[in-house]
Amino acid sequence: MSGRPRRLSVRIRTQIALLSLVVAAALLATWQFGEASGAYQDAVRQQIKRQTAVVEDARFVYGEEGPPAFTVAVAETRAERLRPLRNDGRPAASEYAVAAQTAFQLHRAARPDSLLGNSTYRQDLGYDLPRRLADIQTGSPDLYGLDPGATLQRGDSWSVAGRVSVAVGAAGVLAALCAANVLRPHRWQQARTPSGRRVLRDLDIIPQPAIAPAGRRRAVLLHLVVFVLPLLLPLGQILAAGNEQRALAEAARDDIRLSTSISLQLHRTAFLSNSLVAAKVAELQAPARELAALDTGIGPGAAHHEQRMAAVERVVARDTEAIARYMGRPPTRADGVDPQTVTAMAQDLRDLSAAQAEQHRQVNLADSAGRRSLYLSAATSLAVVAEILAVAAPAARSRGWRWWPAACAVLSVAVTAAAYL
């Protein structure tokens, strides 16, 4: 019967089960946080693609198509205002012809699929730039259909699952710590099972202070603490690395949104500012024309004609300002523009401090999580050294050797505490 294979005791099987649980939880948490990190990076890539498309489309509409469309709208309005005067004198006829030909030639040169080439965008006060922007965005569903927020939430779901795995692993470590200090029931101390099969009891994978001799119990307890540290600290390191990836992704998205908002505002406000300058120049032409009529010594009939043209110039100046404000207005959802674009273009550049503060906060969170991960890595290395020394201490047969693993363990705990301060 002595040659029959021995069965592991309940205590040893419990140790193996708890260690297997901790290892499985650590591996699962690593995989889950890896999936979360991949989702976070996908969210950043999607944010970049989407915001690049937003900025490029806004630049095209307000930077390329908008200025010539504004010129045509002003020229048409000017020609319409000068039409009643074109037969009263040569200046009005000349100005009318220039305005009409300018509008005609620019229309003629425009592509059919452009803003100027499509009459549906022409309104009473110029061209509908927000609607044009909405139509261009509708033509890129693959880009504007990207949802970085949903991708980020998918990463958060993986992160929550990883936290659960970390919690399970930590619970397994604590369970092993508690089980090692539980005394064996009397029935577990029998030499054989009822079937006569021998039970292996003297194999301790995890240090067991509960069954250690009274003289070595403190040393075994110290060894248990040192043994637990390399199991527990990597779990915290995995968690810190996951938090760092989340904060970095959010900081990157905030930075992209911030720069996009600034770019969109600059494209629209640049168009609006240049158009308002043109309106101001048109407004100054009226008094300049009156002064010119008085200084050149022309006849009363010609002077009267110039004064009537000056009056028209004042009306054209008001029309030009109205056209500029209509075409350069911030888009709304009613225009069919992408909601994120609407929010970015309606935001005042002076009110971006909150977005900047949030971006800085996420950067600080990422820095803290990265520093915590490095500290925990160092603490884990110290814990491994402490475990090696703890295993070697009994062979030295000297109590002085116990101070070495104890010192390394204390230093590891101190570094761990520093990581969370």
Side-chain angles (χ1 to χ4, degrees):
M1 186 176 296
S2 61
R4 297 179 61 183
R6 294 184 294 177
R7 190 181 69 176
L8 299 177
S9 66
V10 174
R11 179 179 292 274
I12 295 175
R13 280 183 285 165
T14 301
Q15 295 176 37
I16 295 174
L18 290 176
L19 286 177
S20 300
L21 174 65
V22 173
V23 172
L27 292 175
L28 182 60
T30 301
W31 175 68
Q32 289 168 333
F33 277 112
E35 292 294 316
S37 177
Y40 293 150
Q41 296 305 315
D42 286 342
V44 173
R45 284 190 287 268
Q46 291 177 1
Q47 192 79 41
I48 293 173
K49 289 182 180 179
R50 198 179 196 283
Q51 301 304 89
T52 300
V54 170
V55 172
E56 176 58 25
D57 290 343
R59 184 203 62 78
F60 177 72
V61 171
Y62 289 93
E64 291 190 16
E65 291 193 327
F70 174 78
T71 300
V72 168
V74 172
E76 290 177 343
T77 299
R78 185 176 179 81
E80 185 66 24
R81 296 295 184 183
L82 289 171
R83 188 187 302 274
L85 302 180
R86 61 178 176 170
N87 296 324
D88 292 350
R90 184 173 183 81
S94 177
E95 292 288 341
Y96 168 79
V98 170
Q101 283 299 312
T102 299
F104 174 76
Q105 293 297 335
L106 288 176
H107 263 303
R108 184 179 181 182
R111 300 190 312 272
D113 59 344
S114 66
L115 177 65
L116 282 175
N118 193 333
S119 60
T120 59
Y121 297 115
R122 185 66 169 95
Q123 303 297 322
D124 293 338
L125 289 176
Y127 288 84
D128 195 344
L129 296 189
R131 183 182 172 188
R132 172 62 173 170
L133 178 61
D135 290 345
I136 290 178
Q137 291 179 336
T138 304
S140 302
D142 54 333
L143 294 175
Y144 287 91
L146 295 174
D147 191 353
T151 305
L152 194 74
Q153 291 179 358
R154 178 165 58 85
D156 289 340
S157 299
W158 281 109
S159 179
V160 170
R163 292 172 186 272
V164 172
S165 298
V166 168
V168 171
V173 174
L174 296 178
L177 181 63
C178 295
N181 290 278
V182 175
L183 293 174
R184 291 179 298 175
H186 179 72
R187 60 186 180 86
W188 288 7
Q189 300 177 12
Q190 298 177 4
R192 300 177 186 275
T193 62
S195 62
R197 191 175 182 181
R198 300 182 64 187
V199 178
L200 180 62
R201 304 181 186 279
D202 55 357
L203 176 62
D204 289 328
I205 303 174
I206 302 175
Q208 304 288 303
I211 61 175
R216 297 188 63 251
R217 190 161 298 168
R218 291 184 179 179
V220 176
L221 181 60
L222 172 62
H223 190 189
L224 175 63
V225 173
V226 172
F227 179 85
V228 164
L229 289 177
L231 296 177
L232 195 59
L233 292 178
L235 297 176
Q237 188 177 355
I238 294 172
L239 184 61
N243 292 337
E244 180 184 15
Q245 291 297 319
R246 176 62 169 78
L248 285 174
E250 194 62 44
R253 291 185 67 229
D254 288 340
D255 182 67
I256 295 168
R257 287 194 292 261
L258 189 62
S259 61
T260 299
S261 181
I262 294 174
S263 297
L264 293 178
Q265 287 283 12
L266 290 178
H267 287 309
R268 186 185 69 81
T269 56
F271 170 81
L272 179 60
S273 299
N274 293 334
S275 301
L276 290 176
V277 168
K280 191 65 176 178
V281 171
E283 182 181 359
L284 295 175
Q285 287 178 351
R289 186 177 293 277
E290 291 178 338
L291 289 175
L294 295 175
D295 292 342
T296 55
I298 60 177
H304 178 68
H305 180 70
E306 291 286 354
Q307 289 176 351
R308 292 185 64 187
M309 285 193 61
V312 171
E313 295 282 3
R314 289 189 176 91
V315 176
V316 171
R318 290 194 296 269
D319 292 342
T320 302
E321 181 177 358
I323 293 172
R325 295 194 181 280
Y326 172 75
M327 295 181 63
R329 72 189 188 279
T332 63
R333 294 191 179 185
D335 296 315
V337 178
D338 170 63
Q340 295 184 24
T341 306
V342 171
T343 302
M345 296 189 76
Q347 194 171 14
D348 193 335
L349 292 179
R350 294 170 295 182
D351 297 334
L352 295 178
S353 57
Q356 291 176 336
E358 175 62 20
Q359 197 264 345
H360 292 161
R361 188 181 73 87
Q362 292 295 337
V363 171
N364 291 334
L365 289 176
D367 290 341
S368 298
R371 184 170 58 254
R372 184 175 299 118
S373 179
L374 291 176
Y375 273 62
L376 292 176
S377 178
T380 302
S381 299
L382 289 171
V384 171
V385 173
E387 168 63 14
I388 295 173
L389 293 175
V391 172
R397 298 180 181 180
S398 173
R399 292 188 176 183
W401 269 82
R402 297 178 186 176
W403 291 106
W404 292 100
C408 288
V410 170
L411 187 57
S412 177
V413 172
V415 173
T416 301
Y420 289 94
L421 293 180

